[in-house]
Amino acid sequence: MPLKNLNPEQLKAVQHTDGPLLIVAGAGTGKTTVITERIAWLIDQKMAQPEETLALTFTDKAASEMEERIDKLLPYGYTDLWILTFHSFCQRILQQHGLDIGIPNDFKLLNSTEQWLLVRQNLEKFNLDYYRPLGNPTKFIHALLKHFSRAKDEEIWPENYLKYAEKLKINLDSMESTQGQDADSESKRLEEVANAYHIYQQLLLDNDSLDFGDLINCTLKLFRERPNILKKYSNQFKYILVDEFQDTNWAQYELIKLLAAPRNNLTVVGDDDQSIYKFRGASVSNILQFKENYPQSKEIYLNTNYRSTQNILDLAYNFIQLNNPERLEIKLTKNTENKKTHKTLSKKLKSNSKEKGIIEHLHAETEQGEVALVINKILELYNKPQPATHNLQPNFNDFAILVRANNQAEVFLNGLRAAEIPFNFLASKGLYYKEVILDIIAYLKLLDNYHESLALWRILNLPRVDIKVEDLMQLNNFARRKTISLYETCSQINTLNFIETETKRKIAKILDLIHKHTHLAQAKSTKSIVLAFLQDFDYQKYLLNQNDEKSFIYINQFIDKINEFEKSFDDKTVKHFISLMDLEIESGELGSLSKSLQEGPESVKIMTIHSAKGLEFKYVFIVNLVDKRFPSLDRRDPIQIPDELVKEILPTGDVHLQEERRLFYVAMTRAKFGLFFTSAEDYGGTRKKKLSRFLYEINLTENIKTQEPQETQIKIKEKKLPVTGYRLPVSYSYSQFKAYETCPYQYYLAFILKIPISGKAIFSYGKTLHSTLQRFFALIKANNNITQGALFTQNTKNTRSTKTQKLPSLEKLLKLYEECWIDDWYESKKQKEEYKKLGEKSFKDFHENLKTGSIPNTLGLEQGFNFKIEGHSIRGVIDRVDRLPNDKIEIIDYKTGSAKTLKTVEKDQLLLYQMAAIETFNTPVEKLTFYYLDNNSAISFLGTPEELEVQKAKVLHIIANIRQSKFDATPSEFKCKYCDFKKICSYRA
């Protein structure tokens, strides 16, 4: 595998063979490149199979980006890549082996809001005195939960905390009374916290639930108490790589050490100067511990920066040295200076660019003036011709405004909006306050209570409804004058002579829809009602016409939220959902924005510095650089963990200031060519603000003068902006190919915009049957001790006769069917019962066939794959893979509905699976089978080389069209009749 464009140090890191490796990688030095190239190189050199490498990251975004990069580097297919966050990895392990330590495999993972609800609903069980809430318990509960989370980071179990509290109490009791009341109060406080921790953990267990800290600690417990399971995974993972190692906590590092032993082929990549998430600022703790644990580890320092100009790097480096001696550059050198292996660590970065960057301080009299200076500078750079070395004239994606906290962003959002500059606020929270989500929540509240006048007012003001403002005001005034609800006013709309006829018609239609959806809500799930609202109010059609991709992303995230709700509760009604939403909002939850909105229409990005980590921009503005804003005030955890229980090496000095300096360093090193620091004297208080101490520390306060901003309404240079900023897929599937072949515009709506659609009875029924069979065959495999790994091991033979395999009973199969039943999207109770009886009959016949014949030697269930067709990744999941007596395999796909014949069947799906098997599996394919569950019939075939070539050509043609954004509609009466998007599509026949 050619390793292109790597410098010597990067190449050394990539081609390191065995043993522990510490990579200290400064900002912009290509650490992600090194990790991904290293994994690809290990696989290419046959030192490990894809499933034998484990890469651990901290965010889903980082994991998906890494997988995407590796996928491009690997020239061939694979079945499994273990590139996960720490929590996802542990969840995967516990779902397989949780029962071995008494945890149900189907445990529920609670998010922060669900944890808050659990404590709030059981508050009386905590026996609180010292921490008894006098008023609203919201902040108090969050403080407790944060404390429990910190304790789990240090792998402090409730029993450890209780023992410590008891020991402290005994010691105090043995002391003389001169210790006084303070010591006694402290003892009682800690005892109360320890008991609260114990009660909280018991509540989790009683509810078959875990929180995120439990994922790590329970996996640690599993590996320690069940050495055979640890051995299984230690043997599997020949090489382990950890990204952002400086941010790993004690428990995560313990987990890594256990997994890596005894080979210790462990690569860790970190930079203490970019540690902005670490407990009590312990930025160098694990890196120093790594050197202690692995004294023979190899060290590689990456110092060549491929992002910023040298003057920006020098400014950042000189600044961060103010954190000495609590930096790795000092600590690591000090710890090794008496050893022969001593190697001086220099973290001074060298730019790969020969240019000189722009560094400026913009200072205004007022906060609004600061905003104007930022906007004018953006427009100046946007319109100014750029040097050839900058590759392209900048677009708005090249600008980032970095704030210390989310609440500092609003004034800049308003300024950009007023200047008509496209922007994107990349907050991690705030889903519930997006316009489209506020509309959905308002409508759900209205269905729950017609007299929610504010909710109805919002619905009447929808742009799609288009009611005259004057009529709305008159309706509102009438309701107030008569002291009745807005709904009651609308109910008598025909008697109100001062309202226009067209408005009366529109309101009558809205009331009809409200009544219709209220009736539906009595029998249907919350998700059904939300989709009915979006469809019946033409909301999705309106968004589609507005090219409003962002709103579709928000809707999908809210639908995900509803899906989680419906999985967790038997009561899926709107009323129950709204009551939980109210509690969430009471807890302070704003709604997670989990999916990245970075891709999208060209826009200036506004985000917190924490969110900006890992990103880069041509021009960066670090704003609000005044005292108490940045650096911020020290807000210590309300409940501190006793130092005696902390296992990490804690820094000395002003820990908060060191943390803020690292954050400022991260902000500075996001900039490529331009770095702007901004401040103002007046932010609305009674006193003028002092400049941030950081401006003094980087020597940007000399000869400071207040700048008077010009008007910000500068005409933007004529430049065509993209109509939409959708991101094309990085991999493809049969479902995508089928949708595109049916209608390219249908593909665009389903896979690019991802517009949510209502489900169908046939899909619920099909998923139920698939899930039942997966669990049934998994039970067969478990009963007969067959592992899925056999599929990918060369030269494996049938080791167990199918005649001797144990077949679970028909009763067990029907019980699984009942457990897997999906009770959604059926049009009527009668239809649901008909489908249910059909499934029961199918499974009875299916079981009888197995009992009288031979049990398949099933090797793979829901078997994922990823293979390449001329560099394009094709992914999919095969329902079942069986090994045949001749040691070849049969690929099986389940179908519901009418059985086809060899003449009428569409072979494309299984031909694609055959191509995947040829490239990815180690066993030749004997036949491809569509198994029709409704009548237990099957048709089998095998693609000829000619058929596979035709299929390959078809796939490449579709991919080429997608890459060129060819999404023109191809309507026809038949296709449009059955299309999921027929009600919102402007091109339908």
Side-chain angles (χ1 to χ4, degrees):
M1 184 187 81
L3 297 168
K4 299 177 182 177
N5 304 320
L6 296 182
N7 65 42
E9 292 303 307
Q10 289 176 325
L11 196 60
K12 281 183 198 173
V14 168
Q15 296 182 330
H16 174 74
T17 51
D18 297 330
L21 171 65
L22 169 64
I23 303 172
V24 180
T29 56
K31 68 178 180 61
T32 305
T33 298
V34 167
I35 295 172
T36 52
E37 292 275 4
R38 175 157 171 72
I39 293 172
W41 182 79
L42 289 168
I43 294 169
D44 183 71
Q45 297 297 306
K46 312 295 184 192
M47 296 173 73
Q49 294 297 315
E51 64 273 13
E52 292 174 337
T53 60
L54 171 65
L56 295 171
T57 71
F58 278 85
T59 66
D60 291 321
K61 183 176 182 295
S64 59
E65 180 188 341
M66 200 176 290
E67 183 172 356
E68 190 178 314
R69 287 205 200 182
I70 292 171
D71 185 54
K72 289 177 181 176
L73 290 171
L74 292 177
Y76 44 81
Y78 52 85
T79 56
D80 200 6
L81 268 179
W82 288 69
I83 301 175
L84 301 159
T85 64
F86 276 92
H87 293 114
S88 297
F89 170 73
C90 291
Q91 186 173 1
R92 186 167 172 177
I93 298 296
L94 290 174
Q95 284 171 340
Q96 291 287 323
H97 306 286
L99 282 174
D100 292 277
I101 53 171
I103 296 171
N105 291 348
D106 59 349
F107 63 84
K108 182 183 177 186
L109 181 62
L110 301 188
N111 60 31
S112 58
T113 302
E114 290 165 332
Q115 293 170 252
W116 184 90
L117 285 170
L118 182 68
V119 175
R120 190 184 188 280
Q121 291 163 353
N122 294 276
L123 206 52
E124 74 285 348
K125 296 180 181 178
F126 283 80
N127 301 317
L128 299 169
D129 180 29
Y130 187 98
Y131 285 108
R132 182 174 65 249
L134 298 177
N136 189 326
T138 300
K139 290 184 178 178
F140 149 77
I141 295 175
H142 282 307
L144 266 185
L145 289 171
K146 188 173 184 180
H147 184 68
F148 301 156
S149 175
R150 294 294 199 196
K152 290 178 182 184
D153 288 348
E154 294 293 306
E155 204 196 352
I156 303 167
W157 293 85
E159 50 267 35
N160 303 140
Y161 217 135
L162 285 166
K163 282 179 184 176
Y164 172 77
E166 183 62 30
K167 181 181 175 183
L168 185 65
K169 184 180 178 182
I170 292 170
N171 289 342
L172 286 173
D173 287 344
S174 64
M175 291 178 186
E176 297 182 10
S177 60
T178 52
Q179 292 294 319
Q181 221 170 5
D182 288 346
D184 184 54
S185 175
E186 177 64 4
S187 170
K188 288 179 179 177
R189 183 188 73 82
L190 283 172
E191 186 178 15
E192 185 172 297
V193 172
N195 280 319
Y197 186 19
H198 172 72
I199 292 163
Y200 167 71
Q201 203 61 29
Q202 192 59 50
L203 283 171
L204 287 172
L205 294 174
D206 292 344
N207 287 275
D208 291 338
S209 299
L210 300 178
D211 63 21
F212 282 95
D214 288 329
L215 290 176
I216 309 293
N217 288 346
C218 289
T219 306
L220 267 174
K221 183 178 182 182
L222 172 74
F223 286 162
R224 286 174 179 149
E225 294 183 3
R226 301 291 180 259
N228 286 341
I229 295 174
L230 172 62
K231 186 177 179 181
K232 164 185 163 65
Y233 288 102
S234 292
N235 287 342
Q236 176 180 337
F237 300 124
K238 294 180 179 177
Y239 293 89
I240 298 174
L241 302 94
V242 182
D243 192 15
E244 304 288 6
F245 183 62
Q246 76 279 352
D247 286 328
T248 51
N249 59 45
W250 172 272
Q252 289 164 339
Y253 184 34
E254 288 296 299
L255 182 70
I256 296 163
K257 287 189 292 185
L258 276 176
L259 273 173
R263 292 191 190 95
N264 294 329
N265 291 332
L266 176 60
T267 299
V268 299
V269 186
D271 178 13
D272 62 303
D273 290 332
Q274 296 186 79
S275 177
I276 55 177
Y277 297 106
K278 205 66 177 17
F279 170 69
R280 288 207 203 163
S283 58
V284 299
S285 176
N286 278 350
I287 298 179
L288 293 178
Q289 202 62 52
F290 184 86
K291 289 298 298 175
E292 194 74 29
N293 297 140
Y294 306 104
Q296 301 307 314
S297 63
K298 185 172 182 180
E299 297 166 25
I300 294 177
Y301 308 145
L302 303 182
N303 297 103
T304 303
N305 178 283
Y306 295 92
R307 177 187 300 155
S308 308
T309 59
Q310 191 63 53
N311 59 331
I312 291 175
L313 294 178
D314 289 344
L315 186 74
Y317 177 70
N318 292 334
F319 169 77
I320 199 61
Q321 287 192 94
L322 295 170
N323 270 359
N324 290 340
E326 297 298 331
R327 291 179 60 246
L328 192 63
E329 196 170 28
I330 305 300
K331 295 273 187 184
L332 200 57
T333 302
K334 186 177 178 181
N335 282 12
T336 58
E337 59 189 8
N338 295 322
K339 299 179 182 178
K340 292 181 180 179
T341 57
H342 168 59
K343 179 180 179 182
T344 302
L345 167 59
S346 171
K347 296 187 68 186
K348 185 175 174 59
L349 300 177
K350 298 174 184 176
S351 176
N352 195 48
S353 168
K354 301 300 181 187
E355 288 189 62
K356 185 175 182 180
I358 308 167
I359 300 174
E360 291 182 11
H361 175 206
L362 307 176
H363 184 68
E365 184 177 340
T366 65
E367 185 176 29
Q368 291 299 329
E370 180 184 3
V371 171
L373 285 174
V374 169
I375 291 173
N376 282 334
K377 182 59 72 172
I378 288 173
L379 290 173
E380 176 192 327
L381 292 165
Y382 179 85
N383 290 301
K384 181 181 178 182
Q386 297 295 302
T389 50
H390 286 204
N391 299 322
L392 295 170
Q393 182 73 14
N395 61 39
F396 286 121
N397 286 332
D398 293 324
F399 298 90
I401 298 172
L402 304 185
V403 295
R404 175 63 184 84
N406 277 320
N407 60 10
Q408 296 169 9
E410 187 65 31
V411 66
F412 290 94
L413 304 181
N414 292 336
L416 290 165
R417 192 179 290 115
E420 298 183 352
I421 295 176
F423 65 87
N424 197 352
F425 181 32
L426 301 179
S428 60
K429 296 280 186 181
L431 176 64
Y432 300 157
Y433 294 92
K434 301 301 179 185
E435 289 297 317
V436 63
I437 305 305
L438 285 169
D439 292 340
I440 293 171
I441 293 173
Y443 194 71
L444 294 177
K445 286 189 173 184
L446 187 57
L447 296 184
D448 184 47
N449 179 6
Y450 287 173
H451 302 294
E452 280 269 4
S453 292
L454 286 176
L456 181 54
W457 176 258
R458 187 171 188 92
I459 299 305
L460 294 177
N461 275 279
L462 289 176
R464 191 73 184 95
V465 172
D466 193 27
I467 294 176
K468 286 181 67 175
V469 174
E470 293 81 2
D471 280 352
L472 288 174
M473 295 302 294
Q474 291 210 57
L475 283 171
N476 200 38
N477 290 334
F478 182 84
R480 286 182 179 179
R481 190 166 68 248
K482 298 294 185 181
T483 62
I484 59 176
S485 70
L486 188 57
Y487 173 79
E488 289 173 295
T489 303
C490 290
S491 296
Q492 51 183 293
I493 190 95
N494 288 329
T495 67
L496 304 179
N497 297 327
F498 52 85
I499 300 298
E500 289 189 3
T501 303
E502 179 62 12
T503 297
K504 290 179 179 180
R505 185 190 66 77
K506 289 179 177 178
I507 287 180
K509 183 178 179 182
I510 289 172
L511 292 182
D512 284 345
L513 288 174
I514 290 171
H515 297 150
K516 171 190 170 184
H517 294 156
T518 302
H519 180 71
L520 281 176
Q522 294 170 2
K524 300 289 184 180
S525 66
T526 301
K527 180 178 176 181
S528 306
I529 305 306
V530 169
L531 293 177
F533 163 66
L534 294 172
Q535 190 174 91
D536 291 347
F537 276 79
D538 285 338
Y539 206 131
Q540 290 177 320
K541 187 174 184 178
Y542 170 76
L543 295 175
L544 193 59
N545 291 338
Q546 296 292 314
N547 287 317
D548 190 352
E549 183 197 357
K550 271 196 215 175
S551 288
F552 283 119
I553 295 173
Y554 298 141
I555 290 170
N556 279 312
Q557 291 184 44
F558 195 66
I559 295 289
D560 289 343
K561 163 78 182 170
I562 295 172
N563 287 337
E564 287 300 313
F565 157 75
E566 293 184 350
K567 281 181 192 173
S568 303
F569 298 98
D570 293 330
D571 183 355
K572 299 175 173 59
T573 61
V574 167
K575 187 176 188 67
H576 188 207
F577 179 74
I578 284 298
S579 68
L580 288 175
M581 280 291 301
D582 287 341
L583 282 171
E584 275 205 42
I585 291 167
E586 181 192 331
S587 79
E589 178 58 48
L590 304 176
S592 296
L593 291 163
S594 54
K595 296 175 185 174
S596 173
L597 287 167
Q598 175 113 17
E599 298 86 10
E602 184 185 319
S603 59
V604 174
K605 304 299 187 288
I606 306 99
M607 67 186 85
T608 65
I609 300 166
H610 282 92
S611 302
K613 189 175 178 187
L615 304 178
E616 58 183 40
F617 303 91
K618 282 186 180 178
Y619 304 103
V620 167
F621 294 80
I622 308 174
V623 300
N624 286 186
L625 286 173
V626 293
D627 187 40
K628 296 183 176 60
R629 288 205 171 193
F630 201 5
S632 66
L633 292 171
D634 186 5
R635 291 184 176 89
R636 301 182 69 195
D637 290 344
I639 308 173
Q640 292 282 310
I641 295 177
D643 286 347
E644 293 85 345
L645 289 174
V646 176
K647 300 181 177 77
E648 300 197 57
I649 304 168
L650 294 175
T652 57
D654 190 333
V655 172
H656 173 70
L657 181 58
Q658 291 168 20
E659 178 95 9
E660 291 290 292
R661 281 204 187 105
R662 288 194 293 272
L663 201 57
F664 196 61
Y665 176 82
V666 166
M668 286 193 284
T669 53
R670 299 310 95 198
K672 293 183 179 180
F673 305 123
L675 181 56
F676 302 91
F677 306 92
T678 76
S679 58
E681 294 177 10
D682 181 5
Y683 287 89
T686 56
R687 295 182 180 178
K688 288 186 177 181
K689 286 284 188 182
K690 296 179 182 177
L691 290 176
S692 166
R693 66 177 291 164
F694 291 166
L695 289 172
Y696 291 95
E697 290 176 353
I698 58 175
N699 298 317
L700 276 188
T701 58
E702 292 182 12
N703 302 319
I704 185 168
K705 62 178 180 179
T706 302
Q707 300 174 52
E708 293 298 329
Q710 300 171 356
E711 288 292 322
T712 59
Q713 299 297 330
I714 299 175
K715 183 175 174 62
I716 297 173
K717 187 176 179 181
E718 194 64 35
K719 185 188 238 185
K720 188 176 180 182
L721 299 179
V723 174
T724 182
Y726 54 74
R727 187 186 186 210
L728 293 173
V730 294
S731 62
Y732 302 89
S733 65
Y734 168 73
S735 299
Q736 290 189 51
F737 298 142
K738 178 67 177 172
Y740 191 91
E741 197 174 17
T742 302
C743 173
Y745 190 64
Q746 182 192 87
Y747 171 86
Y748 168 74
L749 299 178
F751 291 97
I752 302 297
L753 291 186
K754 299 182 175 67
I755 295 177
I757 57 172
S758 299
K760 295 179 181 176
I762 188 65
F763 294 152
S764 294
Y765 174 67
K767 285 180 183 177
T768 297
L769 267 57
H770 276 71
S771 300
T772 303
L773 288 173
Q774 183 193 2
R775 289 182 62 182
F776 184 67
F777 277 99
L779 197 59
I780 293 174
K781 289 174 64 177
N783 287 348
N784 297 282
N785 198 28
I786 301 171
T787 62
Q788 186 150 317
L791 176 60
F792 312 109
T793 307
Q794 291 183 340
N795 302 321
T796 53
K797 300 288 182 182
N798 275 320
T799 56
R800 184 184 293 274
S801 166
T802 56
K803 296 294 183 186
T804 63
Q805 290 189 39
K806 300 173 187 174
L807 179 68
S809 66
L810 173 62
E811 291 72 23
K812 182 62 179 176
L813 175 58
L814 294 178
K815 184 182 178 185
L816 291 174
Y817 177 50
E818 188 66 36
E819 290 172 359
C820 292
W821 180 259
I822 298 171
D823 206 33
D824 295 331
W825 305 114
Y826 294 96
E827 293 175 8
S828 64
K829 190 174 181 180
K830 181 183 177 184
Q831 186 194 46
K832 181 165 64 175
E833 288 304 316
E834 287 173 351
Y835 269 113
K836 204 158 193 178
K837 286 178 182 176
L838 178 62
E840 286 175 1
K841 182 183 182 305
S842 297
F843 281 136
K844 286 176 182 177
D845 294 344
F846 182 83
H847 194 274
E848 186 63 28
N849 289 346
L850 288 179
K851 197 163 67 173
T852 56
S854 59
I855 302 173
N857 189 358
T858 299
L859 299 180
L861 294 168
E862 295 291 310
Q863 179 58 59
F865 64 79
N866 184 329
F867 79 105
K868 301 287 181 67
I869 297 181
E870 294 191 7
H872 301 291
S873 292
I874 316 296
R875 296 173 185 258
V877 177
I878 300 171
D879 289 342
R880 201 173 97 211
V881 181
D882 288 352
R883 188 182 293 283
L884 302 174
N886 63 0
D887 281 316
K888 294 183 179 181
I889 61 173
E890 177 183 9
I891 291 174
I892 299 159
D893 187 77
Y894 301 128
K895 295 291 181 189
T896 54
S898 302
K900 300 287 192 296
T901 66
L902 275 175
K903 286 185 178 180
T904 60
V905 73
E906 188 179 280
K907 296 181 179 180
D908 288 12
Q909 182 179 5
L910 287 186
L911 290 177
L912 203 63
Y913 290 179
Q914 183 181 345
M915 294 163 71
I918 289 169
E919 181 157 348
T920 309
F921 301 165
N922 291 316
T923 311
V925 181
E926 172 79 4
K927 60 181 175 178
L928 311 170
T929 299
F930 282 120
Y931 192 97
Y932 295 92
L933 294 165
D934 289 350
N935 67 355
N936 281 285
S937 66
I939 55 170
S940 299
F941 56 91
L942 188 68
T944 64
E946 292 77 18
E947 286 177 314
L948 295 180
E949 278 301 313
V950 169
Q951 181 63 25
K952 178 181 175 181
K954 183 191 285 189
V955 164
L956 288 172
H957 177 69
I958 291 173
I959 290 175
N961 285 344
I962 292 172
R963 302 312 298 172
Q964 295 170 46
S965 296
K966 291 183 177 179
F967 300 130
D968 294 333
T970 55
S972 73
E973 189 173 343
F974 177 78
K975 285 192 295 187
C976 293
K977 181 179 179 181
Y978 296 101
C979 178
D980 292 321
F981 306 104
K982 61 187 175 185
K983 291 190 177 181
I984 66 171
C985 179
S986 303
Y987 308 103
R988 66 183 181 275

